[in-house]
Every structure is written in C-alpha cells, then in structure tokens.
Short mmCIF file of all heavy atoms in Angstrom, two decimals:
data_model
loop_
_atom_site.label_atom_id
_atom_site.label_comp_id
_atom_site.label_asym_id
_atom_site.label_seq_id
_atom_site.Cartn_x
_atom_site.Cartn_y
_atom_site.Cartn_z
N LEU A 293 18.36 8.04 1.05
CA LEU A 293 19.80 7.99 0.88
C LEU A 293 20.33 6.59 1.12
O LEU A 293 21.21 6.14 0.40
CB LEU A 293 20.46 8.98 1.84
CG LEU A 293 20.20 10.46 1.57
CD1 LEU A 293 20.79 11.30 2.68
CD2 LEU A 293 20.71 10.87 0.24
N GLY A 294 19.78 5.92 2.10
CA GLY A 294 20.25 4.56 2.38
C GLY A 294 19.93 3.60 1.26
O GLY A 294 20.74 2.75 0.90
N THR A 295 18.74 3.73 0.69
CA THR A 295 18.38 2.82 -0.40
C THR A 295 19.18 3.10 -1.65
O THR A 295 19.58 2.19 -2.36
CB THR A 295 16.88 2.91 -0.74
OG1 THR A 295 16.56 4.27 -1.02
CG2 THR A 295 16.04 2.40 0.39
N SER A 296 19.45 4.37 -1.93
CA SER A 296 20.24 4.68 -3.12
C SER A 296 21.68 4.19 -2.95
O SER A 296 22.30 3.74 -3.90
CB SER A 296 20.21 6.17 -3.43
OG SER A 296 20.81 6.91 -2.38
N GLY A 297 22.21 4.26 -1.74
CA GLY A 297 23.55 3.74 -1.49
C GLY A 297 23.59 2.23 -1.60
O GLY A 297 24.55 1.65 -2.11
N ALA A 298 22.53 1.57 -1.14
CA ALA A 298 22.49 0.11 -1.21
C ALA A 298 22.30 -0.36 -2.65
O ALA A 298 22.83 -1.40 -3.04
CB ALA A 298 21.36 -0.42 -0.33
N LEU A 299 21.55 0.39 -3.42
CA LEU A 299 21.31 -0.01 -4.80
C LEU A 299 22.52 0.23 -5.69
O LEU A 299 22.80 -0.55 -6.58
CB LEU A 299 20.11 0.76 -5.38
CG LEU A 299 18.75 0.37 -4.87
CD1 LEU A 299 17.70 1.32 -5.40
CD2 LEU A 299 18.42 -1.05 -5.27
N GLY A 300 23.20 1.33 -5.48
CA GLY A 300 24.32 1.67 -6.34
C GLY A 300 23.87 1.85 -7.77
O GLY A 300 22.88 2.51 -8.05
N GLU A 301 24.57 1.25 -8.68
CA GLU A 301 24.22 1.33 -10.09
C GLU A 301 23.24 0.24 -10.51
O GLU A 301 22.78 0.22 -11.64
CB GLU A 301 25.49 1.22 -10.94
CG GLU A 301 26.46 2.35 -10.73
CD GLU A 301 25.92 3.68 -11.23
OE1 GLU A 301 25.23 3.69 -12.27
OE2 GLU A 301 26.14 4.70 -10.57
N ALA A 302 22.90 -0.67 -9.61
CA ALA A 302 22.11 -1.84 -9.98
C ALA A 302 20.62 -1.55 -10.10
O ALA A 302 19.91 -2.29 -10.75
CB ALA A 302 22.32 -2.95 -8.96
N GLY A 303 20.12 -0.50 -9.46
CA GLY A 303 18.69 -0.29 -9.50
C GLY A 303 18.32 1.17 -9.49
O GLY A 303 19.17 2.04 -9.38
N SER A 304 17.06 1.42 -9.61
CA SER A 304 16.55 2.78 -9.66
C SER A 304 15.82 3.10 -8.37
O SER A 304 15.06 2.28 -7.85
CB SER A 304 15.61 2.93 -10.85
OG SER A 304 14.97 4.18 -10.80
N LEU A 305 16.02 4.30 -7.88
CA LEU A 305 15.35 4.75 -6.68
C LEU A 305 13.85 4.93 -6.91
O LEU A 305 13.06 4.86 -5.98
CB LEU A 305 15.99 6.06 -6.20
CG LEU A 305 15.58 6.58 -4.83
CD1 LEU A 305 15.88 5.54 -3.77
CD2 LEU A 305 16.30 7.86 -4.52
N VAL A 306 13.45 5.12 -8.16
CA VAL A 306 12.03 5.31 -8.48
C VAL A 306 11.23 4.06 -8.12
O VAL A 306 10.14 4.15 -7.55
CB VAL A 306 11.86 5.65 -9.98
CG1 VAL A 306 10.40 5.65 -10.37
CG2 VAL A 306 12.52 6.96 -10.31
N PHE A 307 11.75 2.88 -8.42
CA PHE A 307 11.03 1.64 -8.13
C PHE A 307 10.83 1.45 -6.63
O PHE A 307 9.76 1.06 -6.18
CB PHE A 307 11.76 0.44 -8.72
CG PHE A 307 11.83 0.47 -10.22
CD1 PHE A 307 13.03 0.25 -10.86
CD2 PHE A 307 10.71 0.73 -10.98
CE1 PHE A 307 13.09 0.29 -12.24
CE2 PHE A 307 10.76 0.77 -12.35
CZ PHE A 307 11.96 0.54 -12.98
N ILE A 308 11.86 1.75 -5.85
CA ILE A 308 11.74 1.62 -4.39
C ILE A 308 10.76 2.65 -3.85
O ILE A 308 9.96 2.35 -2.96
CB ILE A 308 13.12 1.79 -3.73
CG1 ILE A 308 14.01 0.68 -4.23
CG2 ILE A 308 13.01 1.84 -2.23
CD1 ILE A 308 14.70 -0.15 -3.25
N THR A 309 10.79 3.86 -4.38
CA THR A 309 9.87 4.90 -3.93
C THR A 309 8.42 4.51 -4.22
O THR A 309 7.54 4.69 -3.38
CB THR A 309 10.21 6.23 -4.63
OG1 THR A 309 11.58 6.54 -4.39
CG2 THR A 309 9.34 7.35 -4.12
N VAL A 310 8.16 3.97 -5.39
CA VAL A 310 6.80 3.54 -5.74
C VAL A 310 6.36 2.40 -4.83
O VAL A 310 5.23 2.37 -4.35
CB VAL A 310 6.72 3.15 -7.22
CG1 VAL A 310 5.40 2.45 -7.54
CG2 VAL A 310 6.91 4.36 -8.10
N ALA A 311 7.24 1.45 -4.58
CA ALA A 311 6.89 0.32 -3.71
C ALA A 311 6.57 0.79 -2.29
O ALA A 311 5.60 0.32 -1.68
CB ALA A 311 8.03 -0.69 -3.69
N ILE A 312 7.34 1.72 -1.77
CA ILE A 312 7.09 2.24 -0.42
C ILE A 312 5.78 3.03 -0.39
O ILE A 312 4.99 2.90 0.56
CB ILE A 312 8.27 3.11 0.04
CG1 ILE A 312 9.49 2.23 0.29
CG2 ILE A 312 7.91 3.90 1.30
CD1 ILE A 312 10.77 3.00 0.54
N ALA A 313 5.52 3.81 -1.42
CA ALA A 313 4.27 4.58 -1.46
C ALA A 313 3.06 3.66 -1.52
O ALA A 313 2.05 3.90 -0.84
CB ALA A 313 4.28 5.51 -2.67
N LEU A 314 3.13 2.61 -2.31
CA LEU A 314 2.01 1.66 -2.39
C LEU A 314 1.81 0.93 -1.08
O LEU A 314 0.69 0.76 -0.61
CB LEU A 314 2.24 0.67 -3.52
CG LEU A 314 2.04 1.22 -4.93
CD1 LEU A 314 2.46 0.18 -5.96
CD2 LEU A 314 0.62 1.64 -5.15
N ALA A 315 2.90 0.49 -0.48
CA ALA A 315 2.79 -0.25 0.78
C ALA A 315 2.21 0.62 1.89
O ALA A 315 1.40 0.15 2.70
CB ALA A 315 4.15 -0.79 1.19
N SER A 316 2.60 1.88 1.94
CA SER A 316 2.11 2.75 3.01
C SER A 316 0.65 3.15 2.80
O SER A 316 0.00 3.60 3.73
CB SER A 316 2.98 3.99 3.12
OG SER A 316 2.87 4.77 1.96
N SER A 317 0.14 2.99 1.61
CA SER A 317 -1.25 3.38 1.37
C SER A 317 -2.25 2.30 1.78
O SER A 317 -3.45 2.51 1.70
CB SER A 317 -1.45 3.71 -0.11
OG SER A 317 -1.34 2.56 -0.90
N PHE A 318 -1.78 1.15 2.25
CA PHE A 318 -2.68 0.07 2.65
C PHE A 318 -2.92 0.03 4.15
O PHE A 318 -3.32 -0.99 4.68
CB PHE A 318 -2.12 -1.28 2.20
CG PHE A 318 -2.01 -1.42 0.70
CD1 PHE A 318 -0.87 -1.94 0.13
CD2 PHE A 318 -3.03 -1.00 -0.12
CE1 PHE A 318 -0.76 -2.06 -1.23
CE2 PHE A 318 -2.92 -1.10 -1.49
CZ PHE A 318 -1.78 -1.64 -2.04
N GLY A 319 -2.71 1.13 4.85
CA GLY A 319 -2.90 1.16 6.29
C GLY A 319 -4.33 1.44 6.69
O GLY A 319 -4.59 2.37 7.43
N MET A 320 -5.27 0.65 6.20
CA MET A 320 -6.67 0.94 6.45
C MET A 320 -7.35 -0.08 7.34
O MET A 320 -8.55 -0.08 7.47
CB MET A 320 -7.41 1.07 5.13
CG MET A 320 -7.38 -0.18 4.28
SD MET A 320 -7.97 0.12 2.63
CE MET A 320 -6.42 0.36 1.78
N SER A 321 -6.59 -0.97 7.95
CA SER A 321 -7.25 -2.01 8.72
C SER A 321 -7.40 -1.67 10.19
O SER A 321 -8.04 -2.42 10.92
CB SER A 321 -6.48 -3.33 8.57
OG SER A 321 -5.17 -3.18 9.07
N LEU A 322 -6.86 -0.55 10.64
CA LEU A 322 -7.00 -0.16 12.04
C LEU A 322 -7.69 1.19 12.16
O LEU A 322 -7.53 2.05 11.31
CB LEU A 322 -5.62 -0.10 12.71
CG LEU A 322 -4.88 -1.44 12.80
CD1 LEU A 322 -3.50 -1.21 13.39
CD2 LEU A 322 -5.66 -2.42 13.65
N PRO A 323 -8.42 1.40 13.23
CA PRO A 323 -9.15 2.66 13.38
C PRO A 323 -8.24 3.88 13.55
O PRO A 323 -8.65 4.98 13.28
CB PRO A 323 -10.02 2.46 14.60
CG PRO A 323 -9.65 1.18 15.20
CD PRO A 323 -8.77 0.44 14.25
N ILE A 324 -7.02 3.68 14.02
CA ILE A 324 -6.14 4.82 14.26
C ILE A 324 -5.27 5.17 13.06
O ILE A 324 -4.45 6.07 13.12
CB ILE A 324 -5.23 4.56 15.48
CG1 ILE A 324 -4.38 3.33 15.26
CG2 ILE A 324 -6.05 4.45 16.73
CD1 ILE A 324 -3.28 3.15 16.27
N SER A 325 -5.45 4.46 11.95
CA SER A 325 -4.57 4.68 10.80
C SER A 325 -4.83 6.00 10.09
O SER A 325 -3.90 6.62 9.59
CB SER A 325 -4.68 3.52 9.82
OG SER A 325 -6.00 3.42 9.33
N THR A 326 -6.07 6.44 10.01
CA THR A 326 -6.40 7.70 9.34
C THR A 326 -7.49 8.41 10.12
O THR A 326 -8.29 7.77 10.81
CB THR A 326 -6.90 7.46 7.90
OG1 THR A 326 -8.11 6.72 7.95
CG2 THR A 326 -5.88 6.71 7.06
N PRO A 327 -7.57 9.73 10.01
CA PRO A 327 -8.64 10.47 10.71
C PRO A 327 -10.05 10.02 10.32
O PRO A 327 -10.90 9.90 11.21
CB PRO A 327 -8.38 11.93 10.31
CG PRO A 327 -6.91 11.98 10.06
CD PRO A 327 -6.56 10.65 9.45
N PRO A 328 -10.34 9.74 9.03
CA PRO A 328 -11.70 9.26 8.74
C PRO A 328 -12.02 7.94 9.44
O PRO A 328 -13.17 7.72 9.85
CB PRO A 328 -11.70 9.08 7.22
CG PRO A 328 -10.66 10.02 6.73
CD PRO A 328 -9.60 10.01 7.79
N ASN A 329 -11.04 7.06 9.58
CA ASN A 329 -11.28 5.82 10.31
C ASN A 329 -11.58 6.09 11.78
O ASN A 329 -12.43 5.45 12.38
CB ASN A 329 -10.09 4.88 10.19
CG ASN A 329 -9.97 4.25 8.83
OD1 ASN A 329 -10.80 4.47 7.97
ND2 ASN A 329 -8.94 3.46 8.64
N ALA A 330 -10.86 7.05 12.36
CA ALA A 330 -11.10 7.39 13.77
C ALA A 330 -12.50 7.98 13.94
O ALA A 330 -13.18 7.69 14.93
CB ALA A 330 -10.04 8.38 14.25
N ILE A 331 -12.93 8.79 13.00
CA ILE A 331 -14.29 9.36 13.07
C ILE A 331 -15.33 8.25 12.94
O ILE A 331 -16.32 8.23 13.68
CB ILE A 331 -14.47 10.43 11.98
CG1 ILE A 331 -13.59 11.64 12.28
CG2 ILE A 331 -15.93 10.85 11.87
CD1 ILE A 331 -13.50 12.64 11.15
N ALA A 332 -15.12 7.32 12.02
CA ALA A 332 -16.07 6.22 11.84
C ALA A 332 -16.18 5.36 13.09
O ALA A 332 -17.28 4.96 13.49
CB ALA A 332 -15.66 5.37 10.64
N ILE A 333 -15.06 5.07 13.73
CA ILE A 333 -15.08 4.24 14.93
C ILE A 333 -15.71 5.00 16.10
O ILE A 333 -16.35 4.40 16.96
CB ILE A 333 -13.66 3.72 15.25
CG1 ILE A 333 -13.71 2.34 15.90
CG2 ILE A 333 -12.92 4.58 16.21
CD1 ILE A 333 -13.99 1.22 15.06
N ALA A 334 -15.56 6.32 16.11
CA ALA A 334 -16.11 7.13 17.20
C ALA A 334 -17.63 7.18 17.16
O ALA A 334 -18.27 7.42 18.20
CB ALA A 334 -15.55 8.54 17.15
N THR A 335 -18.24 6.94 16.01
CA THR A 335 -19.70 6.95 15.94
C THR A 335 -20.32 5.77 16.66
O THR A 335 -21.48 5.82 17.04
CB THR A 335 -20.18 6.92 14.48
OG1 THR A 335 -19.79 5.70 13.88
CG2 THR A 335 -19.65 8.11 13.69
N GLY A 336 -19.56 4.70 16.80
CA GLY A 336 -20.08 3.50 17.45
C GLY A 336 -20.82 2.57 16.50
O GLY A 336 -21.27 1.50 16.91
N LEU A 337 -20.98 2.97 15.26
CA LEU A 337 -21.68 2.14 14.28
C LEU A 337 -20.78 1.07 13.68
O LEU A 337 -21.26 0.11 13.08
CB LEU A 337 -22.26 3.02 13.17
CG LEU A 337 -23.28 4.07 13.62
CD1 LEU A 337 -23.66 4.97 12.45
CD2 LEU A 337 -24.50 3.40 14.20
N VAL A 338 -19.47 1.25 13.82
CA VAL A 338 -18.50 0.31 13.27
C VAL A 338 -17.61 -0.16 14.41
O VAL A 338 -17.13 0.65 15.21
CB VAL A 338 -17.63 0.99 12.18
CG1 VAL A 338 -16.62 0.03 11.61
CG2 VAL A 338 -18.49 1.57 11.09
N THR A 339 -17.38 -1.45 14.49
CA THR A 339 -16.50 -1.99 15.53
C THR A 339 -15.10 -2.22 14.95
O THR A 339 -14.92 -2.28 13.73
CB THR A 339 -17.04 -3.31 16.09
OG1 THR A 339 -17.04 -4.29 15.05
CG2 THR A 339 -18.44 -3.15 16.64
N THR A 340 -14.14 -2.35 15.84
CA THR A 340 -12.76 -2.59 15.39
C THR A 340 -12.63 -3.90 14.63
O THR A 340 -11.96 -3.93 13.59
CB THR A 340 -11.79 -2.56 16.60
OG1 THR A 340 -11.91 -1.28 17.23
CG2 THR A 340 -10.37 -2.77 16.16
N PRO A 341 -13.24 -5.01 15.06
CA PRO A 341 -13.15 -6.24 14.26
C PRO A 341 -13.75 -6.10 12.86
O PRO A 341 -13.21 -6.63 11.89
CB PRO A 341 -13.92 -7.27 15.08
CG PRO A 341 -13.84 -6.78 16.48
CD PRO A 341 -13.86 -5.29 16.37
N GLN A 342 -14.86 -5.36 12.74
CA GLN A 342 -15.44 -5.13 11.41
C GLN A 342 -14.47 -4.36 10.53
O GLN A 342 -14.27 -4.68 9.35
CB GLN A 342 -16.75 -4.34 11.52
CG GLN A 342 -17.90 -5.11 12.08
CD GLN A 342 -19.12 -4.22 12.32
OE1 GLN A 342 -18.99 -3.04 12.63
NE2 GLN A 342 -20.31 -4.80 12.17
N MET A 343 -13.87 -3.33 11.10
CA MET A 343 -12.93 -2.52 10.34
C MET A 343 -11.69 -3.33 9.96
O MET A 343 -11.17 -3.19 8.85
CB MET A 343 -12.53 -1.28 11.14
CG MET A 343 -11.75 -0.27 10.35
SD MET A 343 -11.49 1.27 11.24
CE MET A 343 -13.11 1.98 11.10
N ALA A 344 -11.24 -4.19 10.85
CA ALA A 344 -10.07 -5.02 10.56
C ALA A 344 -10.36 -6.00 9.43
O ALA A 344 -9.52 -6.21 8.56
CB ALA A 344 -9.62 -5.75 11.82
N LYS A 345 -11.55 -6.60 9.44
CA LYS A 345 -11.91 -7.54 8.37
C LYS A 345 -11.90 -6.87 7.00
O LYS A 345 -11.30 -7.37 6.05
CB LYS A 345 -13.30 -8.13 8.61
CG LYS A 345 -13.37 -9.18 9.66
CD LYS A 345 -14.80 -9.68 9.76
CE LYS A 345 -15.06 -10.33 11.09
NZ LYS A 345 -16.47 -10.72 11.25
N VAL A 346 -12.54 -5.74 6.91
CA VAL A 346 -12.59 -5.01 5.64
C VAL A 346 -11.19 -4.52 5.26
O VAL A 346 -10.79 -4.58 4.11
CB VAL A 346 -13.58 -3.83 5.72
CG1 VAL A 346 -13.51 -2.96 4.49
CG2 VAL A 346 -14.98 -4.35 5.94
N GLY A 347 -10.43 -4.06 6.24
CA GLY A 347 -9.07 -3.58 5.97
C GLY A 347 -8.16 -4.66 5.44
O GLY A 347 -7.37 -4.42 4.52
N VAL A 348 -8.26 -5.86 5.98
CA VAL A 348 -7.43 -6.97 5.50
C VAL A 348 -7.80 -7.34 4.07
O VAL A 348 -6.93 -7.55 3.22
CB VAL A 348 -7.54 -8.18 6.46
CG1 VAL A 348 -6.94 -9.42 5.84
CG2 VAL A 348 -6.85 -7.87 7.78
N VAL A 349 -9.10 -7.39 3.79
CA VAL A 349 -9.54 -7.70 2.42
C VAL A 349 -9.05 -6.63 1.45
O VAL A 349 -8.54 -6.94 0.37
CB VAL A 349 -11.08 -7.83 2.37
CG1 VAL A 349 -11.57 -7.92 0.94
CG2 VAL A 349 -11.54 -9.04 3.16
N MET A 350 -9.18 -5.36 1.83
CA MET A 350 -8.72 -4.28 0.97
C MET A 350 -7.21 -4.30 0.79
O MET A 350 -6.70 -4.02 -0.30
CB MET A 350 -9.16 -2.92 1.54
CG MET A 350 -10.65 -2.71 1.52
SD MET A 350 -11.33 -2.69 -0.14
CE MET A 350 -10.63 -1.19 -0.76
N ALA A 351 -6.47 -4.64 1.84
CA ALA A 351 -5.02 -4.71 1.73
C ALA A 351 -4.59 -5.83 0.78
O ALA A 351 -3.68 -5.65 -0.04
CB ALA A 351 -4.39 -4.92 3.11
N ILE A 352 -5.25 -6.99 0.87
CA ILE A 352 -4.93 -8.10 -0.03
C ILE A 352 -5.27 -7.73 -1.47
O ILE A 352 -4.48 -7.96 -2.39
CB ILE A 352 -5.65 -9.38 0.42
CG1 ILE A 352 -5.06 -9.88 1.74
CG2 ILE A 352 -5.56 -10.46 -0.65
CD1 ILE A 352 -5.85 -10.99 2.39
N ALA A 353 -6.44 -7.12 -1.67
CA ALA A 353 -6.83 -6.70 -3.03
C ALA A 353 -5.87 -5.65 -3.57
O ALA A 353 -5.46 -5.71 -4.73
CB ALA A 353 -8.26 -6.16 -3.02
N GLY A 354 -5.48 -4.72 -2.74
CA GLY A 354 -4.53 -3.69 -3.17
C GLY A 354 -3.17 -4.26 -3.49
O GLY A 354 -2.51 -3.85 -4.45
N PHE A 355 -2.73 -5.21 -2.68
CA PHE A 355 -1.43 -5.86 -2.93
C PHE A 355 -1.46 -6.60 -4.27
O PHE A 355 -0.54 -6.48 -5.07
CB PHE A 355 -1.09 -6.83 -1.80
CG PHE A 355 0.15 -7.63 -2.06
CD1 PHE A 355 1.39 -7.05 -1.92
CD2 PHE A 355 0.06 -8.96 -2.46
CE1 PHE A 355 2.55 -7.78 -2.17
CE2 PHE A 355 1.20 -9.70 -2.71
CZ PHE A 355 2.45 -9.10 -2.57
N LEU A 356 -2.52 -7.35 -4.51
CA LEU A 356 -2.63 -8.09 -5.77
C LEU A 356 -2.69 -7.13 -6.96
O LEU A 356 -2.08 -7.39 -8.01
CB LEU A 356 -3.84 -9.01 -5.75
CG LEU A 356 -3.76 -10.17 -4.75
CD1 LEU A 356 -5.07 -10.93 -4.73
CD2 LEU A 356 -2.60 -11.08 -5.07
N LEU A 357 -3.41 -6.04 -6.80
CA LEU A 357 -3.48 -5.04 -7.86
C LEU A 357 -2.12 -4.40 -8.11
O LEU A 357 -1.72 -4.20 -9.26
CB LEU A 357 -4.51 -3.97 -7.50
CG LEU A 357 -4.78 -2.90 -8.54
CD1 LEU A 357 -5.36 -3.52 -9.80
CD2 LEU A 357 -5.72 -1.86 -7.98
N ALA A 358 -1.39 -4.09 -7.05
CA ALA A 358 -0.07 -3.49 -7.20
C ALA A 358 0.91 -4.45 -7.87
O ALA A 358 1.70 -4.05 -8.74
CB ALA A 358 0.47 -3.05 -5.84
N VAL A 359 0.87 -5.71 -7.49
CA VAL A 359 1.75 -6.71 -8.11
C VAL A 359 1.39 -6.88 -9.58
O VAL A 359 2.27 -6.93 -10.45
CB VAL A 359 1.67 -8.06 -7.35
CG1 VAL A 359 2.35 -9.16 -8.13
CG2 VAL A 359 2.31 -7.92 -5.98
N GLY A 360 0.10 -6.94 -9.88
CA GLY A 360 -0.33 -7.06 -11.27
C GLY A 360 0.10 -5.87 -12.10
O GLY A 360 0.58 -6.01 -13.23
N ALA A 361 -0.05 -4.67 -11.55
CA ALA A 361 0.37 -3.47 -12.27
C ALA A 361 1.87 -3.45 -12.47
O ALA A 361 2.37 -3.07 -13.53
CB ALA A 361 -0.09 -2.22 -11.52
N ALA A 362 2.62 -3.88 -11.45
CA ALA A 362 4.07 -3.91 -11.58
C ALA A 362 4.51 -4.89 -12.65
O ALA A 362 5.39 -4.58 -13.47
CB ALA A 362 4.70 -4.27 -10.24
N LEU A 363 3.91 -6.07 -12.66
CA LEU A 363 4.28 -7.06 -13.67
C LEU A 363 3.92 -6.60 -15.08
O LEU A 363 4.61 -6.91 -16.05
CB LEU A 363 3.59 -8.39 -13.38
CG LEU A 363 4.07 -9.13 -12.12
CD1 LEU A 363 3.20 -10.35 -11.86
CD2 LEU A 363 5.53 -9.53 -12.27
N LEU A 364 2.85 -5.82 -15.19
CA LEU A 364 2.42 -5.34 -16.49
C LEU A 364 3.23 -4.13 -16.95
O LEU A 364 3.61 -4.03 -18.12
CB LEU A 364 0.94 -4.98 -16.43
CG LEU A 364 0.31 -4.43 -17.71
CD1 LEU A 364 0.26 -5.54 -18.76
CD2 LEU A 364 -1.07 -3.89 -17.44
N LEU A 365 3.52 -3.21 -16.03
CA LEU A 365 4.11 -1.94 -16.41
C LEU A 365 5.64 -1.90 -16.36
O LEU A 365 6.26 -1.16 -17.12
CB LEU A 365 3.53 -0.82 -15.56
CG LEU A 365 2.04 -0.60 -15.72
CD1 LEU A 365 1.54 0.46 -14.76
CD2 LEU A 365 1.72 -0.20 -17.14
N TRP A 366 6.27 -2.64 -15.44
CA TRP A 366 7.73 -2.56 -15.34
C TRP A 366 8.45 -2.94 -16.62
O TRP A 366 9.45 -2.31 -16.97
CB TRP A 366 8.24 -3.39 -14.17
CG TRP A 366 8.47 -2.56 -12.93
CD1 TRP A 366 8.86 -1.27 -12.89
CD2 TRP A 366 8.32 -2.98 -11.59
NE1 TRP A 366 8.94 -0.85 -11.60
CE2 TRP A 366 8.62 -1.88 -10.79
CE3 TRP A 366 7.95 -4.18 -11.00
CZ2 TRP A 366 8.59 -1.95 -9.40
CZ3 TRP A 366 7.92 -4.23 -9.63
CH2 TRP A 366 8.23 -3.13 -8.84
N PRO A 367 8.00 -3.94 -17.37
CA PRO A 367 8.69 -4.22 -18.62
C PRO A 367 8.62 -3.09 -19.63
O PRO A 367 9.45 -2.99 -20.54
CB PRO A 367 7.98 -5.47 -19.17
CG PRO A 367 7.36 -6.11 -17.98
CD PRO A 367 7.01 -4.98 -17.06
N LEU A 368 7.65 -2.20 -19.51
CA LEU A 368 7.52 -1.08 -20.43
C LEU A 368 8.42 0.09 -20.10
O LEU A 368 8.61 0.97 -20.93
CB LEU A 368 6.06 -0.61 -20.46
CG LEU A 368 5.02 -1.67 -20.85
CD1 LEU A 368 3.62 -1.09 -20.73
CD2 LEU A 368 5.27 -2.19 -22.26
N LEU A 369 8.96 0.12 -18.87
CA LEU A 369 9.82 1.23 -18.45
C LEU A 369 11.23 1.04 -18.97
O LEU A 369 11.79 -0.06 -18.91
CB LEU A 369 9.84 1.33 -16.93
CG LEU A 369 8.51 1.69 -16.26
CD1 LEU A 369 8.65 1.61 -14.76
CD2 LEU A 369 8.05 3.06 -16.69
N PRO A 370 11.84 2.11 -19.45
CA PRO A 370 13.23 2.00 -19.91
C PRO A 370 14.18 1.91 -18.71
O PRO A 370 14.07 2.68 -17.77
CB PRO A 370 13.45 3.28 -20.70
CG PRO A 370 12.47 4.25 -20.11
CD PRO A 370 11.30 3.43 -19.67
N LEU A 371 15.07 0.97 -18.75
CA LEU A 371 16.05 0.82 -17.67
C LEU A 371 17.43 1.17 -18.14
O LEU A 371 17.86 0.88 -19.17
CB LEU A 371 16.03 -0.60 -17.11
CG LEU A 371 14.78 -0.98 -16.37
CD1 LEU A 371 14.84 -2.44 -15.94
CD2 LEU A 371 14.61 -0.13 -15.14
#
C-alpha cells in the first residue's frame, strides 16, 4: 500500500513487486537464511566463511542476471 501510494500514476506496482521478490531471493550467504543452509552448517562439513564466500558470489551473479533481464525485458512490457 505504501509503495502504490508513493508511485501514484507514475509507476506500476508490478515492477516494485518483482524487484522485491528478486532481492529477497538472494539471502543465501548466511547459514540462518534458509533451513537447508542450517542443515548444511549443522553437519560440520561447511563453515560459515565458506558459505559466506559462495553466497556473496551467488548474490552478485544473481544481481547481474536480474539487471540484465530487467534491461532486456522491461522495454517489451506495455506501460
């Protein structure tokens, strides 16, 4: 509701919703972010620094992929 009020007639709530969904899906750099991460850390085979390194790389790759997809697909959407 707050974003739709702030946008008014200038923007679409769909774009903000997609951006929030993509941003929230990159929470993989900490062991407490998802249950599978907690299980992996509980085995003792993976350390928190190892998980953080991979998580940061995945977050950067995901961000670049999301930006690339947005630049490619947003011009195709009717506004």
Side-chain angles (χ1 to χ4, degrees):
L293 293 174
T295 55
S296 64
L299 287 173
E301 296 293 323
S304 172
L305 190 58
V306 172
F307 296 132
I308 298 233
T309 305
V310 169
I312 290 171
L314 286 173
S316 66
S317 69
F318 297 135
M320 60 191 97
S321 61
L322 295 176
I324 60 169
S325 61
T326 64
N329 287 358
I331 292 169
I333 212 76
T335 64
L337 300 174
V338 180
T339 64
T340 301
Q342 288 173 328
M343 190 172 285
K345 284 182 202 175
V346 173
V348 168
V349 170
M350 293 297 292
I352 291 170
F355 174 76
L356 293 175
L357 184 63
V359 169
L363 292 173
L364 180 68
L365 297 176
W366 263 328
L368 302 176
L369 295 174
L371 292 176

